[in-house]
Amino acid sequence: MNYSKRQADPRRHFAGISFVFLFHAFIVYALVTGLAKKVVDVVRAPIDTKVVEEVKKLPPPPEIVVPPPPRLEAPPPPYIPPPEVQIATPPPVQATISATTPTPPPVQQSIVPLPPAAAPAPVGPPSAAAYCNKRPAPEIPGVDFAGKLSLSARATIRNNRIVQVEIIPGSFSGSSDRKVQRAFANAVTAAMLEYGCVGDNVVVEQPFSFTIH
């Protein structure tokens, strides 16, 4: 292909002409408005230079040396002369004649042991009258007996009532009949179970005497 004969593109010529035209228009505008002078003035503006000195630290204040306080020494004690001691010369010892009286020997005392103290009498249970304000009399049983008869009973109080009655052995007097003793013991037991008492875990005693004609 022959490049010399190739036809030139007209669009390239138009773009180049437009760029040249705009460049000349910008130069004319700069000359008219003084834009170039302002640029030169800005470039020629003086440059201020400042030398910053290094801040020097002030030296520390001198130390104030305080002298030590004076030592106060105690004054020496005053001189006190020692007291004068006068020693009395003892009188001469006179020879004396002393008589010695013989001491009689001590009298031997015999120690007699004291008899042992009697043991205190045993204290029995308190009377039923101290705890019971209601004490009905027992009914006399219908047995063949006439005369006086006595016995004693021991009762246990729990929760304000009598729960157990026991005839004290050996307290019967007036009859040796087993049937009579059993009848009166049952009557006493039934009467004591009806007592009105106040107390808990208390044991009391009550004597009874009967006279039957």
Side-chain angles (χ1 to χ4, degrees):
M1 179 181 293
N2 189 3
Y3 289 98
S4 60
K5 294 182 179 181
R6 189 178 55 181
Q7 188 176 0
D9 191 0
R11 290 177 297 179
R12 293 183 178 179
H13 294 283
F14 179 76
I17 295 170
S18 299
F19 175 75
V20 172
F21 176 78
L22 291 176
F23 179 73
H24 284 80
F26 175 75
I27 294 175
V28 172
Y29 173 77
L31 293 175
V32 173
T33 58
L35 181 60
K37 184 178 181 182
K38 292 181 180 180
V39 173
V40 174
D41 293 340
V42 171
V43 174
R44 292 180 179 178
I47 299 174
D48 296 335
T49 57
K50 293 182 180 180
V51 178
V52 179
E53 295 182 359
E54 182 181 359
V55 179
K56 296 182 180 180
K57 296 183 179 180
L58 298 177
E63 295 183 359
I64 301 175
V65 180
V66 180
R71 296 179 60 185
L72 300 177
E73 297 182 357
Y79 174 75
I80 301 175
E84 296 180 359
V85 180
Q86 296 180 359
I87 301 175
T89 303
V93 180
Q94 296 179 359
T96 57
I97 300 173
S98 60
T100 304
T101 303
T103 303
V107 179
Q108 296 183 358
Q109 298 179 357
S110 59
I111 300 175
V112 180
L114 297 176
V123 179
S127 174
Y131 291 90
C132 305
N133 54 6
K134 176 186 176 183
R135 291 175 293 162
E139 296 182 0
I140 299 176
V143 292
D144 187 10
F145 174 78
K148 292 184 178 181
L149 185 145
S150 63
L151 60 93
S152 296
R154 183 180 293 115
T156 302
I157 303 174
R158 291 178 184 171
N159 295 329
N160 301 328
R161 58 187 298 268
I162 292 180
V163 297
Q164 183 180 0
V165 179
E166 176 188 3
I167 304 302
I168 299 175
S171 63
F172 269 102
S173 64
S175 176
S176 59
D177 190 354
R178 297 289 184 182
K179 183 178 180 182
V180 174
Q181 292 180 0
R182 189 181 307 109
F184 277 91
N186 292 337
V188 167
T189 301
M192 293 195 70
L193 290 175
E194 298 297 328
Y195 278 17
C197 305
V198 177
D200 188 18
N201 294 331
V202 180
V203 178
V204 296
E205 287 187 1
Q206 178 66 49
F208 292 90
S209 297
F210 300 91
T211 302
I212 301 174
H213 299 285

